[in-house]
Amino acid sequence: MFSQIEEYYRLEKLPHIWCPGCGHGIILGAMTRAIKELGYDQNKTVVVSGIGCSSRASGYLDFNTLHTTHGRALAFSTGIKMARPELKVFVVMGDGDCTAIGGNHFIHAARRNIDLTAIVFNNNIYGMTGGQYSPMTPQAKKATTAPYGTIERSFDLSQLAIASGATFVGRGTAYHAKLLTQLIAKGARNKGFSVVEAISQCPTSYGRKNKPGDPAEMIKLQKQQAVKVSAAARLTEEQMQGKFTIGVLHDTPAPEYTETYEQVIRRAQAKA
């Protein structure tokens, strides 16, 4: 029920401008329900976004919000967290914003294990800026910059995050909204860099080029292709072809960056 999370929205900014059938509103709802569950103080919570369809989210939310430049949401968020470690910081990015223009910031935020919760709205394309293919566009799928299908292999975002050092990684979809809320809440509770990949559908830029069906069909595909981690463990590689895992993919604590940095400051001051 929207009434339960209405307090987190700037109602004067609604209705949103996302296309009919887009999954981003569902993901934003999951995010605000997670914050409700966590009981975070709105005045001590920050939402930072980059540029793109997903990044409209910061405009709709009634927290301390920052709508930054393309690919730099994690850089701004790192500065906020270093200056005010007590704040709860959520970073909203699209797949292109996060893994192409902001790719370097992504791997280094993960490597540092700084206490940020990154939510990546993955609709497999640059929706707002013209329908170009992103590093998350599946191989052979079409985009305005790949009219015959992209020849590049796509990233597995979650594996990239794990390999780079993120201490919590989860994946959900717009179809699995309840799971998505749980993953975002778990990610926020993790003291370190958390990544939640939220798979969304883009009926406009991606759908018109690749024709997977109407928005209802696209979200049904998420249901058909997603396999929970526990179930995936019982399937062979061949049985997992064309499917992906959802749930908690990685959860391994490690020292958090701002706390470690504070220890360095104290040691230096003790010697002064």
Side-chain angles (χ1 to χ4, degrees):
M1 296 291 287
F2 183 70
S3 60
Q4 297 173 339
I5 50 176
E6 183 178 328
E7 63 189 298
Y8 299 132
Y9 288 80
R10 295 175 175 135
L11 299 180
E12 71 278 13
K13 299 292 185 184
L14 299 178
H16 61 73
I17 61 169
W18 287 317
C19 300
C22 171
H24 285 10
I26 299 173
I27 298 170
L28 188 61
M31 176 181 166
T32 48
R33 287 184 178 87
I35 294 173
K36 179 81 174 179
E37 178 185 322
L38 292 161
Y40 287 170
D41 184 336
Q42 277 175 267
N43 294 319
K44 295 179 181 176
T45 302
V46 184
V47 178
V48 183
S49 68
I51 294 293
C53 295
S54 63
S55 294
R56 293 298 306 163
S58 61
Y60 301 136
L61 295 174
D62 190 14
F63 298 98
N64 298 292
T65 59
L66 207 60
H67 190 187
T68 71
T69 48
H70 214 170
R72 311 303 176 213
L74 282 168
F76 281 89
S77 302
T78 297
I80 292 167
K81 195 68 185 180
M82 289 299 292
R84 297 283 303 275
E86 77 279 11
L87 297 177
K88 306 297 184 184
V89 183
F90 293 83
V91 193
V92 172
M93 299 173 284
D95 49 288
D97 190 44
C98 173
T99 62
I101 302 163
N104 218 22
H105 295 298
F106 181 74
I107 59 174
H108 290 291
R111 179 177 63 85
R112 294 182 184 117
N113 193 35
I114 189 164
D115 189 21
L116 305 171
T117 303
I119 303 165
V120 184
F121 291 45
N122 177 14
N123 61 4
N124 301 125
I125 205 160
Y126 283 96
M128 179 179 285
T129 56
Q132 303 94 331
Y133 70 88
S134 84
M136 301 293 292
T137 303
Q139 193 174 34
K141 294 300 182 184
K142 296 178 181 176
T144 55
T145 46
Y148 300 101
T150 176
I151 60 172
E152 297 178 8
R153 293 178 295 170
S154 57
F155 277 137
D156 182 324
L157 179 69
S158 295
Q159 289 301 319
L160 177 64
I162 295 167
S164 301
T167 45
F168 178 90
V169 179
R171 184 193 285 130
T173 78
Y175 177 84
H176 302 86
K178 191 173 180 181
L179 172 65
L180 207 47
T181 297
Q182 294 167 354
L183 292 172
I184 294 169
K186 285 181 180 176
R189 289 190 181 101
N190 174 53
K191 189 70 175 173
F193 190 65
S194 301
V195 178
V196 177
E197 179 183 358
I199 294 174
S200 183
Q201 71 278 5
C202 172
T204 303
S205 294
Y206 187 88
R208 287 175 181 171
K209 285 289 181 185
N210 293 289
K211 307 191 185 314
D214 63 20
E217 290 296 322
M218 292 182 78
I219 203 165
K220 195 186 295 181
L221 277 176
Q222 296 171 10
K223 176 187 177 185
Q224 294 167 350
Q225 295 174 342
V227 181
K228 291 185 177 177
V229 172
S230 54
R234 298 191 294 271
L235 300 180
T236 65
E237 192 173 326
E238 289 74 22
Q239 289 172 318
M240 281 297 293
Q241 282 294 320
K243 300 181 183 298
F244 55 85
T245 51
I246 56 171
V248 176
L249 306 181
H250 181 71
D251 188 4
T252 303
E256 193 273 328
Y257 186 78
T258 61
E259 290 183 348
T260 305
Y261 195 86
E262 181 62 25
Q263 292 170 10
V264 172
I265 292 173
R266 289 177 184 171
R267 285 202 302 272
Q269 289 174 335
K271 290 182 179 178

